[in-house]
Amino acid sequence: MAGASVKVAVRVRPFNSREIGKESKCIIQMSGNTTTILNPKQPKENKSFNFDFSYWSHTTPEDINYASQMQVYKDIGEEMLLHAFEGYNVCIFAYGQTGAGKSYTMMGRQEKDQQGIIPLLCEDLFTKINDSNNDNSMSYSVEVSYMEIYCERVRDLLNPKNKGNLRVREHPLMGPYVEDLSKLAVTSYNDIQDLMDSGNKARTVAATNMNETSSRSHAVFNIIFTQKKHDMETENTSEKVLTKGVGGGDGVFEGANINKSLTTLGKVISALAELNKKKKKVESFIPYRDSVLTWLLRENLGGNSRTAMVAALSPADINYDETLSTLRYADRAKQIRCNAVINEDPNNRLVRELKEEVARLKDLLYAQGLGDIIESECHRGKHNSHSQKMHIYRLTQETEKIIAELNETWEEKLRRTEAIRMEREALLAEMGVAMREDGGTVGVFSPKKTPHLVNLNEDPLMSECLLYYIKDGITKVGRENAKTRQDIVLSGHFIKDEHCTFSSTTGPQGEGCVILEPCEGAETYVNGKRVTSPIVLRSGNRIIMGKSHVFRFNDPEQARLERERTPCAETPVEPVDWAFAQRELLEKQGIDMKQEMEQRLQELEDQYRKEREEASNLLEQQRLVRENFIQTSPLINSPVPWTKRETELALWAFRKWRFYQFTSLRDLLWGNAIFLKEANAISVELKKKVT
Amino acid sequence: MASLSSDEWRAICDKFTNAQNLTEVESRNDPENDPFRSKYKARELLREIYCSLKSFEVSEGEEDGGGESAGLRAAKLGAVEYYLGVNHVDTEELSAGQEHLMNCMKLLGRCSVSSENVSLFIHVRNQLGILWAGRDETETAQGFLETAESIYQHYMKEDGSPPTDMTEYFTTEEKLLTHQERTKRFELAYTHTMYYLAQVYKNLGQTERAATYCHSTLQRQLQLNQFNPMEWALNAATLSQYYITKGRYMEGRHCLSAATVISGLAGEVPSEATENERREQLRQKRAEIARCWIKYCLNLLQDAKKLLEDNIGELDTDRQDELKRARRGEEEEEEKGRKSALLFGSEDTFDSIASLEEKVRCLFPLDFTEARAVFLVGQNYVTQAKEYFQMDGYVTDHIEILQDHSALFRALAFFEEDLERRCKMHKRRVDMLEPICTDLNAQYYLMIRRQLMFELAETYSEMMDLKLTLANRQADTQSLDSHTIKKFNHLCSASAKYFQMFLDSLCSPEGKVPEHLEEEVLRPALVARFRVARLHSRLISSSPSVQLDNLNRSLENYKYVVQYCETHPEAATTVETELELSKEMVGLLPLKINRLKARMAANN
C-alpha cells in the first residue's frame, strides 16, 4: 500500500517457559511479508495475512531467517526518525496480548544487541542532533512526557504532584494535549533513559498497590522534538512512542452475541445509526466519545503523520484465539485512514459555464482569422490582494498557561525538570525505594555490598525497577498508616499495617545474615512457601508479600562468598523473574497441599483400619459373649461399624489417593485443590457419622 | 399444600430465597479465582428443591385431587429447571443450560398459557434466544423471541391480569407480590424480549426492524418508568440520527423532543465545584443532544433543497408549486397516521414533548419563510452546543458545530430569492470560518483545515457568481463599473487562493507536489485544480500581460488534471466531467493565448 499512513509489522517471539512446559506447538509460519496462522483444532484451516514486515524471531540468531532487534529498528525506527526530521508527526506503537513481546520490541533489554526500538531511536536522535550542531542555522530541543491510560483515566508518570485524572483537551494552537501533563527537558539519551525508568517506577508502584495487572493499561511515552531554523521559522515535531498497545476487544469482531443488559442499549442504537451514516454518507451526529487512547492517536492517523505499528505474536497453539485476533487487528490497521472527508458542492453551474466557453472557443477556432473577438469581460480594474486578519483568541486560563509554558526559556525548563526529579525521588525515598550513591533512585544499579530487595513484575518493563535496602538492624515493612514508622512502605489489599521485618546482622567474619520475620496473620511466602516463623534468607530467595508484591532478595556479599566457595554454583537455568516466582508459589503450594492431603488420607486410612479392627474385635467379643453366655440377653447395644455408604466413601477416597500417586506432579498441580477439598469433605462426613 | 407439610414447604421457600440471594447478591463478591462460587452454591440449592418437588410428585402426585393443579405443579418444576438453566448458562456450561431450559419448555408444553405461568413462558424463551444467538444461530434465536413476543401479545389481549411472578412459586403466602409489582416484573421481561429482538434483527441485517424494536424498548422503559433520564435521552437522540438519515423526520423529531424533555428530568446542573464531574457530564450530554437537533434541521433543509433544485442548483419554481399543491392534502393525514405508531411519553411528559415538537416542522420546507423557521431553530441549537463545546478545549467539536452552522446558512441561502441578501448569508459563512482556518495550528489540524479551505474556496466562488449576476442585472450596458470589477476580482482570487492553499496542504513538508494522491483526497485535489484553472481564466484585467499570465496559469492547471489522469488511469473515473472539459480546454486555451500574444505583438 503505497502512501498508506500506517506501516504494519508483526513479530513472533520464541516460546516462553510456560509454553514449553505445556509442550506447545508453533502455529505461526512466515514467508516473505506473509504471516500464516494454523488453527490447532483444524490443521487444514490456515489464515494468511500480508504486512509491510513479518518478523521471524521465534528461533535464535543462528537461524538465517531470524529477525534481530537491529533489523526491526533499521526497518521501522530509522524510517520513522527520518520522517521526524522531515517534520512529520511520528508514532510507533506496539499491540498484542500480555506477554506477546511488546516490551521487548519497544524497549528490549540492557545487554548488547538487545535494545529495542525506543533506546536505539533515542540514541540515533541525539547522534544526529550532535552531528548537525556544527550547522549554526539550526537548533534542536527535546522534551519528553510519559503518561499512563488506565480505565479511561490519564495519569502523569513523571510528576508525582500530578495526582489523579488529567483532562484531555484540544487547543487551537497547541493541538490535542493532556492538561497539566509535565513535559521535561532532556539533553541526552541518558536523561531520557532516567526519566523513562523513573516513570516505570511510578507505574510499578501504582500498579502493584492497586493489585492490577498492566494488561489493560497503556503507557504513552512522548518525545517532543523541536527543530528551529534561525530565521525564526519554527518547526514543531512531536513524536509519540507508545509502549503498549491499543486495548483489544474493541467490538469489531463481536459475533452475533446478544447483550443481555439494557444498559447497553445505547451501543446497539449507535451501531444502527453508524451503519446508516456510512452507507449513505449523510450527515449525522452520534454522541459517542472515542476512548482516550483512540482520541490521542487520532492526530497520528492524519496526513501529517507517519505511524508504525508492531503487532507482537505468541507462537503457541494455546494462544490461538488471541493471536488470531491480534493478526486481524493488525490487518485492519493497514486500512486505517483519517476519515476527514471533503464535502464539495456540486459544481453543475460551473460545468455548464465552462461548456459554454468551450463551445465559444470552438466557434472561434472555426472563425479563426476572421477578425478579433470582442472580449466581454475586459475592462479596467486591478487586483486587490485580500488582507489577512489575524484573530486573537480570548485569553482563557488555559491559553495563558500554555503561553507561559511557551515563554519558558530552555534553562528554566531544565531547572523545572530538575525540581520535579527531586520531588519524585523524595517521594520514592519515603517509600523506602533505594537511592544510588549520588542520591538518584533511577537507573539500573545494584549495590555492591548492602543486601536488598528488587521487585519482580509480570510486565518486564516494571520488573526490577524498584530497589529496597535492608539496612543493618531492623528494617520494617508495612503500610504508610501503621502505628510506627515503616522503612519500606507498601500498600494494597493484603498488606498488613505491620507486615514483616528484616533483621540484618554481621558475623565476626563479616558475613551477613538477614532474617525475615513475618508479623502475625500477614501473608508472606519465601520461595513459594508460606512462612510463619523467622527464616534466614539466602541471596536469590523469592519473597512474596500479600498477593501482589513479589521480590527477589539479593545479598551481594553472600553471593560473592558462595561463588568463591563453589565456583560453578548452580544458578537457575531460567531467569528468576516474576513468572518464576509465581510458578514456584503455585508448585510449592501444590506440594504442600499434597503433603497435607497425604497426611489427611493417612489419617483416614488409619482410622479406617483402627475402626475395622475395633469392629472385628467387637464382633469377636460378641461372638465370644454369645458363645459363652448364650442365655444372657444382649444388654450391650452393639455399635454398628460403618454403614455401606461410609465404607464406599472411604474406599473411594483411598482409590483416588492410589490413582493420584501414579500420575505426574505436573498434571496434578491444579487438580490437587479439588482432591483436597473432597478429602476434607469426606473426613468431615465420616467424623460426623461415625462418632 | 395438602400433601407437603407446611414445614417442608417453608424449607423449600427458604432454600429458594437463599439461592436467589446467592445468584444476585453474593455472586458479585466472588473472588477472581473462584468466580462462580456463589452460583455453584445456588445450583446445589436448586437441585435440592428440584428433588423435593420431584419426590413429592412421584409419591403423592396422582392420588391427590385437592391441592394445587397439575398445571401449577408443572410450572413450578419448570421454573426450577429455568433457574437451573440460567445458572448453567451463567457459569458457562451452555449445553447443560440448554438442556434445563428445554426441560422447562417441555413441562410448559403440557400447560396452556395462563396468568399463573405466562411469565415463565416469556422468560424461558428470552434465555433460549440469548443462548442461540451466542452460537451464531440467529434464526433459532429469532424463533424463540418472536414466539415470546406473540405469547405476550396474545395474553395481554385475552387476559391481561397481572401474572404471577416465578419467584412467587416459592414464597409463602404472606410474601406474595402486589399487583403493581407483578405487572412491573412481567413488563420488564417483555421489554427485554423487545431489546433482544432488536439485536437479532440488527444481526440479520434488518436495520429498519431493529430500529423499530429499539424504539419500542425505549418507549417501554419510559412508560414503565424503568430508565435513567440522561442515558435514556442520549439513546433517544442517537436513534433520531438513524431516522433523519432515513428521511423519517417525524420520528426523528419525536425522538429529539423526547430526548430534550427527558434530559430535563436529570435535574439542574449543579453549581458547586464539588460536583464538577457530574456537572460536566450533564452539560456535555445536553450539548450533544443539541448537536443532534442541529443535524435534524440541517438535513431537513438539505433534503428539501435537493427536492427543489434544478440541474444547476437553482430553485425550480415549477417543482415548488407542484410540491406545495401536493402537500396540502397529505400533511395532516400523514402526520397523524404515522404518529399513532410509536409514541414516547409518560403521562407527565407527554404534553411537554408534544409542545416541543410543535416548535419545528417535520415536513420539507418549501419556501423561504418555512426554511427560515427551520434555520432559526437550528441556529438556536448551535448557540447551545457551542456553550459547552468551546474553541478552547474542544477544537474539533467546536469547528464541527461551526461547519454545521455554515451549512445551515448555505441551505437557507438556496431559498433566498434576493441575491443581495443571499450574498450576505455566504459572507456570514466566510466570516465564521476564515479566522479559524487562518489561526489553527496547521500541523495538528491539517484535516479540519483542508475541509475549511475547500469550503471557503467554494463560498468565495459562490459569492463571485452572485456579484456578477447582480451586476449584470443592474447594468444594462455590457461594461461593468470599476468598483464591481474590483469586488469580482477580489472574490475570484480569494477563491483561487483557498483552493491553492488546499492543494499546497497536500504537499510534503518540503513543498513537493505528491506523485500519488491518496484515495480520500483524489477527487477533491483534481476538482481544486480544475476550479483554480477556471478562476484564473475569469480574472478581469485590462493589462494584456496580466491576462497572459492568468491564462497560462489556467492552462497549467487544466494540463495537470489531464496529465495526472493519463499517468493514473484509475483517477479518470472519479472526475469524468472535469477531465473531459479539461481536455478540451487544454486543446483550446493555447488558441486564446496565441491570439492574445498576437494582439500584444501588434500593439507593440
Side-chain angles (χ1 to χ4, degrees), chain B residues 40 49 65 72 148 165 196 227 241 251 272 300 311 339 367 389 396 488 495 517 520:
Chain B
Y40 289 148
I49 296 173
L72 186 56
D165 189 66
Y196 300 156
F227 66 98
Q241 301 299 293
E251 285 88 346
E272 302 95 89
L300 189 60
N311 59 0
K339 241 184 178 173
D367 57 32
F389 292 112
T396 310
F488 177 88
S495 178
L517 292 165
E520 65 273 9

Side-chain angles (χ1 to χ4, degrees), chain A residues 170 173 259 264 345 391 396, chain B residues 195 199 392 396 410 439 441:
Chain A
E170 278 181 316
L173 294 174
N259 291 303
T264 52
D345 269 349
H391 264 253
T396 63
Chain B
Y195 178 47
Q199 297 180 63
D392 203 340
T396 310
R410 187 159 70 92
D439 290 358
N441 182 319

Side-chain angles (χ1 to χ4, degrees), chain A residues 3 170-173 259 264 276 280 283 285 289 337 341 344-345 349 357 362 377 391 396 399, chain B residues 195 199 235 241 245 288 299 314 392-393 396 410 439 441 443 445 451 458 518 523 534 540 584:
Chain A
E170 278 181 316
H171 187 272
L173 294 174
N259 291 303
T264 52
N276 227 15
K280 297 181 76 189
E283 299 201 31
F285 175 72
R289 301 271 117 190
R337 281 161 192 282
V341 187
E344 60 173 298
D345 269 349
R349 184 211 300 271
E357 175 150 351
K362 277 184 180 163
E377 296 174 342
H391 264 253
T396 63
T399 314
Chain B
Y195 178 47
Q199 297 180 63
N235 288 344
Q241 301 299 293
T245 55
E288 282 172 343
N299 278 283
E314 289 293 330
D392 203 340
T396 310
R410 187 159 70 92
D439 290 358
N441 182 319
Q443 170 115 24
Y445 301 105
Q451 291 176 341
E458 285 180 332
E518 297 287 323
R523 179 169 161 82
R534 174 71 187 146
I540 301 168
E584 305 234 40

Side-chain angles (χ1 to χ4, degrees), chain A residues 2-4 86-89 153 167 169-176 236 238 255-266 268-273 275-276 280 282-287 289 298-299 302-304 337-338 340-345 347-355 357-358 361-362 364-365 368-369 371-373 375-384 386 388-394 396 398-399, chain B residues 90 130 133-134 136 138 192 195-196 199-200 202-203 207 210-211 214 217-218 221 231 235 238-239 241-242 245-246 277 284 288 291-292 295 298-299 302 311-312 314 389-397 404 410 434-436 438-447 450-451 454 458 460 462 465 479 485 490 497 502 509-510 518 520 523-524 527 530-531 534 538-542 547 558 577-578 581 584-585 588 591-592 595:
Chain A
E86 285 167 355
Y88 286 104
N89 251 339
R153 292 183 168 261
R167 279 179 51 177
R169 296 167 58 94
E170 278 181 316
H171 187 272
L173 294 174
M174 300 299 294
N236 234 325
S238 108
N257 271 336
I258 286 185
N259 291 303
K260 280 191 198 178
S261 162
L262 282 165
T263 51
T264 52
L265 178 60
V268 176
I269 297 177
S270 297
L272 284 177
L275 213 69
N276 227 15
K280 297 181 76 189
V282 188
E283 299 201 31
S284 60
F285 175 72
I286 294 160
R289 301 271 117 190
R298 190 169 63 178
E299 59 164 305
N304 249 4
R337 281 161 192 282
C338 191
V341 187
I342 304 292
N343 292 311
E344 60 173 298
D345 269 349
N347 51 13
N348 298 344
R349 184 211 300 271
L350 179 92
V351 167
R352 192 185 65 177
E353 283 172 4
L354 200 59
K355 277 184 177 158
E357 175 150 351
V358 167
L361 284 168
K362 277 184 180 163
L364 187 68
L365 188 67
Q368 197 169 23
D372 269 319
I373 286 295
E375 295 274 4
S376 63
E377 296 174 342
C378 261
H379 273 276
R380 271 165 222 291
K382 258 191 180 171
H383 272 245
N384 180 20
H386 173 53
Q388 270 190 21
K389 280 180 287 178
M390 265 306 281
H391 264 253
I392 292 158
Y393 287 98
R394 193 163 44 91
T396 63
E398 263 323 296
T399 314
Chain B
D90 285 351
I130 295 172
D136 267 352
T138 314
H192 278 96
Y195 178 47
Y196 300 156
Q199 297 180 63
V200 160
K202 190 195 116 204
N203 293 340
T207 39
C214 284
T217 309
L218 284 169
Q221 286 183 314
E231 194 185 295
N235 288 344
T238 311
L239 188 59
Q241 301 299 293
Y242 169 82
T245 55
K246 282 270 174 191
E277 205 154 316
Q284 181 186 320
E288 282 172 343
R291 290 184 69 179
C292 290
K295 293 290 186 189
L298 183 56
N299 278 283
Q302 284 176 340
N311 59 0
I312 58 159
E314 289 293 330
F389 292 112
Q390 292 182 4
M391 183 61 131
D392 203 340
Y394 298 93
V395 177
T396 310
D397 292 288
D404 282 348
R410 187 159 70 92
E434 198 162 41
I436 294 167
T438 328
D439 290 358
L440 274 188
N441 182 319
Q443 170 115 24
Y444 293 117
Y445 301 105
L446 178 74
M447 294 296 165
R450 278 186 190 159
Q451 291 176 341
F454 213 91
E458 285 180 332
Y460 272 119
E462 181 78 37
D465 285 336
S479 60
I485 290 173
H490 159 62
K497 178 186 89 181
F502 170 79
E510 303 93 65
E518 297 287 323
E520 65 273 9
R523 179 169 161 82
V527 167
F530 174 72
R531 298 197 66 169
R534 174 71 187 146
R538 291 189 73 183
L539 278 169
I540 301 168
S541 169
S542 57
Q547 282 176 36
Y558 282 129
T577 320
E578 289 82 0
L581 286 166
E584 305 234 40
M585 292 309 280
L588 293 167
L591 164 73
K592 202 169 167 179
R595 293 186 57 80

Side-chain angles (χ1 to χ4, degrees), chain B residues 67-122:
Chain B
E68 57 188 2
S69 65
L72 186 56
R73 268 206 306 272
K76 282 183 179 178
L77 211 53
V80 182
E81 292 277 15
Y82 167 81
Y83 284 114
L84 277 168
V86 174
N87 182 290
H88 280 89
V89 172
D90 285 351
T91 53
E92 293 165 13
E93 296 169 41
L94 291 191
S95 37
Q98 183 192 345
E99 207 180 306
H100 284 294
L101 292 172
M102 287 315 284
N103 286 346
C104 171
M105 290 282 284
K106 246 180 253 160
L107 286 162
L108 287 177
R110 296 190 218 141
C111 317
S112 50
V113 177
S114 73
S115 71
E116 271 180 346
N117 58 24
V118 64
S119 182
L120 186 57
F121 266 92
I122 307 277

